Structure formats: C-alpha cells, structure tokens
DNA sequence: TTAAAATTAATAGTATTACTATTAATTAAA
DNA sequence: TTTAATTAATAGTAATACTATTAATTTTAA
C-alpha cells in the first residue's frame, strides 16, 4: 500500500455537507465514528441518534454537519473515490507502458483494502467495507439526477474516465471503455460481497486472489 | 418475447410471505399495486400505508401477507428470478449448440424488458425496472446470511448455475463461470441504470443495443 | 341450516425515526 | 470587553413501522 503524506486533505464536494467535518473535532468524530458504526450495524439501522450516543453529542449537533444520513453516506463515498484517484495517481507515476498502467489500475480497483494507513480519523479498511456494501444505495435513489447535476458523483466519474483513457491508449477503437471500467469496479465490489455472503454466485479458491485475477484477465481479453 | 401459458404459477419461497398473495384478491392487489408504487416513488419512500391507501385497505391487512416491505421486495425479486429461469428454459429449448445457448442466455439476462405479457397482475416491465434499481438493496443487508440460509436467494443462484453450466460445456477449464455470469447480470442492471442517470459511466450510442452487445462480446472473449 | 372456525377488515395505539425550533452556553472577533 | 458567531442541549413534531384488539364477513363442517 502507498503511504500518503498525512497533511494531504482529500477534497469532497461541499454540497454534501452543511459544515465541513474536517473543520472541527466534532466533525472529525462524526466521520470517524460514523464509519465505525455504519460498518458495524449497516446503513439501514444507522441513525444520527445512535451516532450521537457514541460520540457523546446530541443528534442535533450532527445535523449541523449533515442534512441527513444519506448525505453522510455521500460524503464517505465521495471521500473514498477521491482517495482512490489519489492512490491511482501514485500507483501510475513513472509507469510508462499503458499495459502496465492498466494492470496496476485494475489491481487497485479490485483489491481488498486491508491496511489502515493514510488519514488519521478515516479507517480505510472499514470505509472500503462500507463502499462495498452500501455505495449502491448512495445512487440507486430517486434523488440521483438532482445530486448528479450538483456534481456529487464527479469523483466517481472522473476515476472511471481516467482508467478509460488508459484503455483507449492501448486500443483507440475499443467501443466500451467506460462500461468496462464501471463493470469492473461495481463487479469487484459485488464479488467481494458474494464471497462472504452468497458464495454460490462466485468462484473462490482459498488462498488465491481470484477476484483480481478474474478481472485482470477479463479486461485484457475484452479490449483486444 | 416468449408468450407463457397464463395458468403457469411462478414459484416463490414461502418464507418471504406470511400468506401467499396469490391466494386472494387482496394479495394480488398488494403485488400488482406494490409493483406500481415502488416503481413510481422508489423503495425508500414506499410504505404499506401508502400502498393501503392506493388499494383501499388498511396497512394492517397488508401486514397479514408480508412481515415488512423488505419481505415484499424479496417476494418480487424472487418472483422475477423464477420468471427469468422459466423464460431461459423456453429460450433454450431445441437449441443444441452450446455457443448459441450461451448467446441466447446472455441476451435474455441483459436485455431490457419492454413488453408486459405473461401474468395478469404482474407488470414485468415495471418489475424489471424495480429489479434494476432496487434488487441490490434486497441482499446488501445485515440479514443476508440468515435469509440465504432460509433459501430465499435460491432462485437467483440457480439461474447463475444454469448459465455457468453452459459456459463449462463450451470450456470445461474456465475457472470463473459463476463470477462471469453474476458480473454480467449485475453489470447489465447497473449499465441500464447508468444510461438513464449517470451516462458518463457508460458508452451509449442511440439506437444501438450497446449493453447487450458489450456483454455478449465480453463473455465470448472471456471464456476463450 | 346453522353454529363454529377461519379469514379479513378496521380501529387504535406504541416505539422509533428523522427531523426542526428554541434557548443556553461557550468561543472567537472587533 | 461587548458583540457576534458557533456549538450544545432540550424539547418537541410528523411520519414510519409496526402490534394488539375487536368487529365483520366468509367458509366449513356437523
């Protein structure tokens, strides 16, 4: 894993918060313990009241930062995509061959995060678990069009665009680069989930990193 | 589209309902108008009270059929997967070449349902929309393991197994048949959703059936 | 046929959720 | 050092997601 400089601040579209949680200790507590609590009990059972109880603040204080729990989820997923793009940038630095760049990108997009490293109050391992399980719920909603207009999903789209560009470098005639990349990202999340909960929907071999291998192979064949 | 005999009854695991909605008019109304209402306002905003208002019954009567709205969603998705397996069975009858069989299966799994045909009180077009937008919410929950033990996802797993078997007929050494099939099914749903709401995540050409073509190509290359 | 059983409907109620409004206390800025 | 701004705490509300009870209706069975 890449060790990022601690003073880097991941940018998140300000439309998802009322007050920047990075700007106060309470805000950081909301993010840190919000991640923990959502990972523990799931997004459906998660409430600001429970989070308030855990951090010793009334729920009304949390509402000063986030309009509702959906916006907090958008904050977390946006943060994650920014962080991923950051990691991608580092992972591709000084790698010149587009084949190598694509391979590294696919590994980054499909691997499980197992080390909590870079940012003090964000546990990336748990955030990765949340993204796997909860992120579809952040955009499979009736508000998606409005939120998309406000640019809330820009980070995700930008990451997909970056990797698509590598594909087009390798094969400028490939017709479906964005479809392929978004299929890989969402697919890998689902496979990670299926391995744990619905293993008949996947093909896991213990000790092998089947998911990353599957998508590496799939992508390299698809763009030929 | 295949015209199914009307007297066929799609089987759904009885664990998802308290009383079979097929057994009474009220039950059929719950399913019919439940599909309409969820498609209209989305699963989050959907409540039994609103459904009751629409069908002229108190919410308590709906609770006699389904424990809660999550179980109703499980009923609808289970019904959908049974129906898909039924359609698959017909679509593959008398087709002998495994390559043709696989192609027809991928078309069936990835195409948009545009005709409401087979079953009186189930609008398959709207149900397909619900499955696209809401079905991940039916298993990305904390209850998934228990519900999986009860066999609630058996229909989905069986469909994946059927198509995986065709892949293994073509290439017995292919390592990831289930991963490939579940990636195609979930991926096609996501792409259908992205086309409408987050088009930068996909590659749509008007008038072309890009999604089905993409997955047909992807699958045929992947298993070589 | 008619009484018992079963089903369904309707009413009323409760705990929790998802907020909002108001006031008090604390901190920062002029 | 007073004024302004931020934050916390209390209290409340409308809606949600149920449950319990009773009444009405339909079905079945003796």
């Amino acid at each position: 894993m890449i060790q990022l400089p601690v003073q880097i601040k991941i940018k998140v579209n300000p439309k998802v918060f009322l007050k920047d949680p990075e700007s106060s200790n309470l805000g950081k507590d909301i993010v840190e313990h919000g991640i923990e609590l959502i990972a523990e009990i799931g997004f459906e059972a998660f409430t600001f009241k429970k989070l308030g109880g855990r951090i010793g603040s009334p729920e009304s204080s949390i509402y000063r930062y986030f309009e509702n729990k959906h916006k907090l989820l958008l904050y977390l997923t946006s943060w994650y995509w920014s962080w991923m793009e950051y990691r991608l940038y580092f992972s591709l630095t000084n790698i010149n061959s587009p084949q190598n760049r694509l391979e590294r990108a696919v590994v980054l997009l499909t691997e499980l995060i197992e080390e909590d490293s870079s940012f003090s109050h964000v546990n990336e391992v748990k955030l990765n678990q949340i993204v796997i399980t909860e992120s579809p719920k952040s955009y499979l909603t009736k508000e998606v069009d409005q939120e998309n207009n406000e640019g809330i999903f820009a980070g995700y789209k930008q990451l997909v665009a970056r990797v698509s560009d590598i594909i087009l470098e390798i094969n400028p005639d490939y017709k479906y680069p964005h479809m392929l990349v978004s299929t890989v990202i969402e697919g890998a999340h689902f496979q990670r989930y299926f391995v744990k909960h619905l293993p008949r929907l996947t093909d896991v071999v213990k000790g092998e990193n089947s998911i990353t291998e599957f998508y590496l192979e799939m992508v390299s064949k698809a763009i030929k």
Side-chain angles (χ1 to χ4, degrees), chain A residues 95-186:
Chain A
I95 310 292
N96 295 312
S97 136
Q99 280 80 10
N100 278 351
R101 292 168 67 82
L102 181 57
E103 200 180 310
R104 293 177 79 100
V106 172
V107 170
L108 202 100
L109 296 178
T110 61
E111 77 185 350
L112 197 67
I113 308 290
E114 289 175 306
E115 261 184 70
D116 174 25
S117 54
S118 330
F119 293 88
S120 54
H121 59 288
V122 175
N123 182 324
E124 289 92 2
V125 178
K126 286 184 182 168
L127 182 55
N128 180 237
Q129 296 297 333
I130 290 173
V131 168
I132 288 171
T133 309
E134 318 292 357
S135 74
K137 301 169 194 169
S138 75
Y139 55 78
L140 294 174
T141 68
K142 286 286 170 190
E143 294 76 38
V144 61
D145 296 325
Q146 202 204 312
E147 287 167 356
N148 187 35
N149 281 339
E150 290 172 350
I152 286 171
F153 305 108
Y156 186 28
K157 294 191 279 188
Q158 193 172 303
L159 185 69
V160 169
R162 292 244 186 284
V163 183
S164 297
D165 286 344
I166 307 174
I167 291 174
L168 291 175
E169 263 187 80
I170 298 173
N171 178 358
D173 296 323
Y174 185 63
K175 280 173 82 177
Y176 314 112
H178 301 84
M179 263 201 232
L180 185 59
V181 175
S182 57
T183 294
V184 167
I185 293 175
E186 298 296 341

Side-chain angles (χ1 to χ4, degrees), chain A residues 30-135:
Chain A
I30 291 170
V31 170
E32 178 178 347
H33 293 93
I35 289 171
E36 272 172 24
L37 193 52
I38 294 171
E40 249 174 62
I41 64 176
F43 188 66
E44 278 72 39
F46 172 85
T47 68
F48 280 176
K49 189 160 194 187
K50 288 176 188 166
L51 177 56
R54 186 171 285 214
I55 62 181
S57 287
E59 53 177 342
S60 55
S61 301
I62 302 168
Y63 278 105
R64 307 231 145 222
Y65 289 82
F66 296 100
E67 224 183 304
N68 49 49
K69 69 178 185 173
H70 172 68
K71 290 282 168 74
L72 173 58
L73 181 60
L74 287 174
Y75 179 86
L76 297 178
T77 53
S78 298
W79 193 99
Y80 182 84
W81 295 121
S82 276
W83 178 66
M84 284 295 273
E85 209 197 330
Y86 202 85
R87 291 172 76 220
L88 184 71
Y89 178 82
F90 274 87
S91 172
L92 301 187
T93 316
N94 302 322
I95 310 292
N96 295 312
S97 136
Q99 280 80 10
N100 278 351
R101 292 168 67 82
L102 181 57
E103 200 180 310
R104 293 177 79 100
V106 172
V107 170
L108 202 100
L109 296 178
T110 61
E111 77 185 350
L112 197 67
I113 308 290
E114 289 175 306
E115 261 184 70
D116 174 25
S117 54
S118 330
F119 293 88
S120 54
H121 59 288
V122 175
N123 182 324
E124 289 92 2
V125 178
K126 286 184 182 168
L127 182 55
N128 180 237
Q129 296 297 333
I130 290 173
V131 168
I132 288 171
T133 309
E134 318 292 357
S135 74

Side-chain angles (χ1 to χ4, degrees), chain A residues 2-45:
Chain A
I2 311 136
Q3 197 68 32
L4 300 178
V6 208
Q7 62 274 28
I8 292 297
K9 194 186 152 190
I10 294 290
K11 267 207 176 172
V12 172
N13 186 329
K15 297 241 162 133
V16 304
F17 51 72
L18 298 168
K19 180 185 159 78
D20 188 352
E22 291 291 323
S23 71
S24 74
N25 286 332
L26 176 56
K28 286 174 191 165
D29 274 356
I30 291 170
V31 170
E32 178 178 347
H33 293 93
I35 289 171
E36 272 172 24
L37 193 52
I38 294 171
E40 249 174 62
I41 64 176
F43 188 66
E44 278 72 39

